[in-house]
Amino acid sequence: QDAVTLQLKWVTQAQFAGYYVAKDKGFYEEENLEVTIKPGGPDIAPEQVIAGGGADVITTWMAAGLAARERGVPLVNIAQPFKTGGLQLTCLKETGVETPEDFAGRTLGVWFFGNEYPFYAWMAKLGLETDGADDNGVTVLKQAFNVDPLLQGQADCISTMTYNEYGQVLDAGYTADDLVNFNYLEQGIGMLEDGLYVLEDSLEDPAFADKMVRFVRASMKGWKYAAENPEEAAQIVVDNDTTGAQTLAHQTYMMSEVAKLTAGSNGALDPADYEQTVATLLSAVSEENPAITTEPEGAWTHMISDQALQ
Amino acid sequence: MLGQDLPGSAAFGVAVLACIAMMALVVSLVSSGRRAGVLPPLVLGAAILLLWEVGTRGFGVPSVILPPVSAIAVRMVASHATLWEDFSQTFLKGALSGYIIGCGAGFLLALFSDRVPFLQRGLLQVGNFLAAMPIIGIAPILVMWFGFDWQSKAAVVAVMCFFPMLVNTVQGLAAAGAMQRDLMRTYAASYGQSMTKLRLPAAAPFIFNGLKICTTLALIGAIVAEFFGSPIRGMGFRISTEVGRLNLDMVWAEIVVAALAGSAFYGVITLLERAATFWHPSQRRG
Amino acid sequence: MRTMQSVLIVVGGIMAIWLAAVPFMNIKWEANMASRAGVEVSIPEGGLRRASAVALVFTNPHLIPGTYVQEKPRLPGPQQVVAELWATTAGEAVTSNRSLVYHAGVTLTGTVAGFLFGTALGVLLAVAIVHVRVIDASIMPWVIASQTIPILALAPMIIVVMNSVGITGLVPKAIISAYLSFFPVVVGMVKGLRSPDAMQMDLLKTYNASAAQTFWKLRLPAAAPFLFPSLKIGIAASLVGAIVGELPTGAVAGLGARLLAGSYYGQTVQIWSALFGAAILAAILVGAVGLIQAFALKRMGFAR
Amino acid sequence: MNEQSPSASVIEARNLSLTFQTSDGPVHALKDVTLTIGKGEFVSFIGPSGCGKTTFLRVMADLEKPTAGTITVNGVSPEQARRSRAYGYVFQAAGLYPWRTIGGNIRLPLEIMGYSKAEQAERVRRTLEMVELSGFEKKFPWQLSGGMQQRASIARALAFDADILLMDEPFGALDEIVRDHLNEQLLELWGRTGKTIGFVTHSIPEAVYLSTRIVVMSPRPGRITDVIESTLPRERPLDIRDTPEFIEIAHRVREGLRAGHGDDV
Amino acid sequence: MNEQSPSASVIEARNLSLTFQTSDGPVHALKDVTLTIGKGEFVSFIGPSGCGKTTFLRVMADLEKPTAGTITVNGVSPEQARRSRAYGYVFQAAGLYPWRTIGGNIRLPLEIMGYSKAEQAERVRRTLEMVELSGFEKKFPWQLSGGMQQRASIARALAFDADILLMDEPFGALDEIVRDHLNEQLLELWGRTGKTIGFVTHSIPEAVYLSTRIVVMSPRPGRITDVIESTLPRERPLDIRDTPEFIEIAHRVREGLRAGHGDDV
Ligand SMILES: Nc1ncnc2c1ncn2[C@@H]1O[C@H](COP(=O)(O)OP(=O)(O)OP(=O)(O)O)[C@@H](O)[C@H]1O
Ligand SMILES: Nc1ncnc2c1ncn2[C@@H]1O[C@H](COP(=O)(O)OP(=O)(O)OP(=O)(O)O)[C@@H](O)[C@H]1O
Ligand SMILES: Cc1ncc(C[n+]2csc(CCO)c2C)c(N)n1
Ligand SMILES: [Mg+2]
Ligand SMILES: [Mg+2]
């Protein structure tokens, strides 16, 4: 069996259900692979892990992947199970925010650690400064893990994922009617999320390329199974969570929402989506926080997905 | 392996030899009996930096894992304005105010409990228990209570400093010898008099011990608390954000600032201690 | 006995303050939810956000009971923490990853491994510092400087870098623990090894004792009373190191992972119970060192 | 000058006992001690190590509470006497505060008792001269030899005007010549001021040379085995120690001591 | 028994000087000291505090290096003598190791010098008996009174067979009766073993009672001002101290001391 180490972007949750299902259901084994799935965490940068040789393949957001490429870690997208993104900005209606025009003077919660590029691109597009609340700017908070800042009234809007934090806000007692959501895709600054990336030169090794083909094939099988059997997938995720803190109810919710994001993808990257992500990043470059400054080259390949999905 | 890394390992070898030469110099200096002062640690530091620089460059360590020293230095110069902003946010606002509040509160409670001996025994036990507790774990709670800005960082620092200070002060107030106290009794000295003239001076070495422990805790507390939410400036914010962006040179620049600030803070307290407790055997020399 | 009594009073006092604080900390959320649910709530002019918690509590006494049983309180009631502690210890099999005992065990191995490692390093360094002048002159300032580096901020990178060379799990965590615990041991041990006074040293000189004999028969026993308090500080620091080492790799296991998971989902009660679990673990560890200390020092005749 | 009236008794102890409770069981430091010290007397306490000399002095000074019996100092309880600052006390070890200079140490009681600045300076100067330490006012204790520290601690007890002086082996750490000198000084001071002095010593000649009365004690339990009245005149040159009368008293003290020693070496 | 041949000199010091460099400037602890001690002699050193007695003894023991002059011990350098374990040393304070029992403390030099277990036990028993501490072998130092600790420290120096015994005020902390007793014991040991003894004391009677020669020293700088040969017989009962001969020697020592004291109190 060939060993493959996958580094996730975040903790064990249904966001990564496809991989856990493939492992649990023996899809990897069928492809003669022995896959180790390393959960991530708030301070684990998958790009750093792969650069240091701690993983063969990682999941990450495209903006972060391209940024890493510009900083000397030659990442290549080999597959894109997520067709669309779940990132949004969620505001409390009672604070009076209804459109992006209302942002000026507000406090917005943002995730950093390589997740901030879409936000800065958006603000650049809106022409809003990010260094303090006034007529022409917003106050940015580094939002930690949870939705407390919104519930405690410390921020007017916070970042949420459709499949996770948004559900937590609903769980806390607010209804969809109390909230206003700005989906990044709908705002035209959508960027590809959770793709699979490897180091460019490793693909030159045919044996490695072959391993990745089998890996992507089995993973997509896992995603398909997960979408069809959300309850079982959620249970598999909960079983794989070593902290014992995840609940089945929440993971089931997450699975159903994640399925919406993976729905349109067969695993191959759609070059149009790639172009859009790059165009957004380049068109609205934030001065202090540029993800990329020049058009990347060779940042994706169909070599693996083509073979995997034929 | 050999062929590929030859320039790297050759340079590394030269650097190792240079370090050995420097250390040999120090050895001869020290063993010749002359007072070498700050020279030996400086030489050691220089040797480590040299090995670091040559090692990272020579072996082609990716800069997203460990950048060479020179890159860090360049970054420090280029981003000095950001570094200063972060420093004032985290150290001047968060750490320092928390330090003053925490140490002050610990000291005052120790004084108070001294007047209520019954309370003191329990307080000390509970204080010892809480001092051993990983206070760092309360950071997410305090960020939730006190908001994102430096106030919550100050709160974390204050809580971390409180117990070491309390425990040390209480211990210090008990440090005056039985005979020294008896002397005060023979003078029928008032509580305040024996406090100011005997027990506080006798407690000073312990109080400074607490103050010194807290200098390192203060910086650590303020930085880690920023991991749990912060405005978009501060040393902890910068460290965690720039790791995510793979700008490791900036991360190390912040760490250098933190180490310099921490050492300076420690040094200042040590100087104060030396001035205030010159009489203590540990401070006498020659 | 009197100590016991006053400990109880202090703990009782803390409990009372805690209980009294709960309504004030949680009232806003309670009022918010109650008014959404159509319950009569008196909210002052200017809305809930601006309202003072004190005023809210006194104008809405009927909401007070609810503040003690919120699912995600700002400040959980003590009974909630105790219930959660009970449920996650007695209520789960020890081997289950939902059991706090299991997670405490994971943290404990990291702590103990790091502590042993740090103590060994600290003792060796102290012995070298005391015996070799060059080491004393060149290393001590760096030992102090090492503690001013925010290792806790570096911890994630250490773990990633170690991960990248294939070292995972216990070792990186233990290294952080060791880094934090070696310092108090070096300081205490150097002080202790240097504690023999000139006369005690001279005595051995008159016997023409070797350096090794001086070490085993004088320096080491003289250092014992200094070593143990350092070990107590060291093991507490070690625990902090293990917990912090568990934070970044949040998905794995241990009290730090519990803390993070609780934080990630806003489960305050879970955070508090992990925190208390850690405090109890700290107390047990320090207590264990204390027992060894009492035994060792008594055998050595230091106890009076 | 030294009008001594037997009626004015300064210390009156009746059936005084003091038992320390230790983990090894009770230690009877004092047992049934009865003693009266008149005004202006110079009483020495002598006895083997551990016989309760220090303890007895500490009871007089209200630093220790007797477990049985009664004691009055100046007609009131030791506590009241202490509060009215009736005595100066010299401890067995110098016990100077290391963070104060020699001058600062001597000034300590004066500050506490509220003397004026000028008065403080004057008294420090005067007592330093008395113990021949002028010039060392600005030095810290650790810069002085053990004997000099001991003298500074004596100066500290003499700096303020207490009627009673309690001294616990004050000259133990001094060599014979300095000791002789300070013995003379002490006698001179006593003659001049009429203080009542309680004095602990291990030296038989010293006890005989200084005292109007010598109290011999024995240990386990600590009790008084002999009280020897001195027949020496109040005026005592150093060479009085070679007179047969002196040698005779010293002999009696030695016999008393030896008897109390028992089998204890 | 005690065959003393003048040729066999054990200690030979010529023009010995020792200056301590301190932050306040140099301290001349010893200046131009010349002295020869023959085999089997009992030499006492007496002099005011700080005159260099301890320093001189420490130079003999190679615990301090002279800054000028020469000294030999048993014909070799002090360092070689120390390495061959030529002497036992009793410090001014007891200095027992608190983590060892009394027995363990006495065993310490024996362990270091590699005596067999059986031999160690035997010697501990014998020396404990000598200082009358049998039965206290298992006790820790702090469970004993100061005087008993001092005796244990003497036993420690006697436990192994060194030809030279250097004792720095060994009986300072003891009361007169115990002191008398140990003085007798020491004389008995000396007579029996023929050791060479260097002995520091503050007590004139003690010096006269014990010594074959008394070296009087004076301070600043520390030098020898007088060397008094004792005319007393080797056999000395305690009451020899009342003989005119004894009093005469004591008087000479006191005069020598007083002269050396100068203006220094
Ligand atoms: N605080 C205490 N606790 C228990 N026992 C004590 C305490 N203080 C003194 N003792 C005991 O009381 C007895 C008398 O002690 P004290 O100090 O009065 O003796 P002393 O006559 O002054 O002896 P020395 O000549 O050695 O100073 C001793 O047996 C001593 O061990
Ligand atoms: N390590 C040292 N550094 C500086 N000065 C010293 C040192 N040791 C001793 N002295 C000084 O040397 C002189 C002689 O000291 P020494 O201890 O020999 O005196 P001593 O005769 O033994 O006095 P005592 O009777 O008080 O024991 C003193 O003035 C002392 O202050
Ligand atoms: C400190 C911190 N940094 C980043 C993220 C963002 N993040 C990482 S994975 C993921 C998917 C949603 O669970 C998201 C949003 C976070 N939550 N907390
Ligand atoms: Mg006493
Ligand atoms: Mg001496």
Side-chain angles (χ1 to χ4, degrees), chain B residues 27-47:
Chain B
V27 171
S28 63
L29 256 179
V30 171
S31 46
S32 74
R34 257 178 296 166
R35 286 214 46 179
V38 295
L39 196 65
L42 285 186
V43 171
L44 182 71

Side-chain angles (χ1 to χ4, degrees), chain A residues 10 146 164 172 174 178 242 246, chain C residues 36 98 251-252 263-265:
Chain A
W10 194 246
N146 56 43
N164 188 3
Y174 285 99
D178 300 324
T242 49
Q246 312 279 26
Chain C
R36 278 168 197 287
R98 293 190 183 272
V252 189
S263 196
Y264 186 32
Y265 296 105

Side-chain angles (χ1 to χ4, degrees), chain C residues 75-154:
Chain C
L75 174 63
Q79 89 288 353
Q80 283 179 296
V81 176
V82 170
E84 169 80 6
L85 271 175
W86 181 254
T88 50
T89 50
E92 300 277 352
V94 180
T95 49
S96 152
N97 56 19
R98 293 190 183 272
S99 161
L100 209 55
V101 180
Y102 162 78
H103 290 286
V106 172
T107 303
L108 181 66
T109 39
T111 305
V112 171
F115 175 67
L116 294 180
F117 198 64
T119 302
L121 181 70
V123 170
L124 286 181
L125 209 57
V127 171
I129 284 173
V130 168
H131 284 98
V132 187
R133 275 189 61 189
V134 188
I135 294 183
D136 179 24
S138 52
I139 285 202
M140 210 45 195
W142 288 101
V143 170
I144 292 169
S146 77
Q147 298 302 303
T148 65
I149 297 179
I151 178 72
L152 303 188
L154 272 177

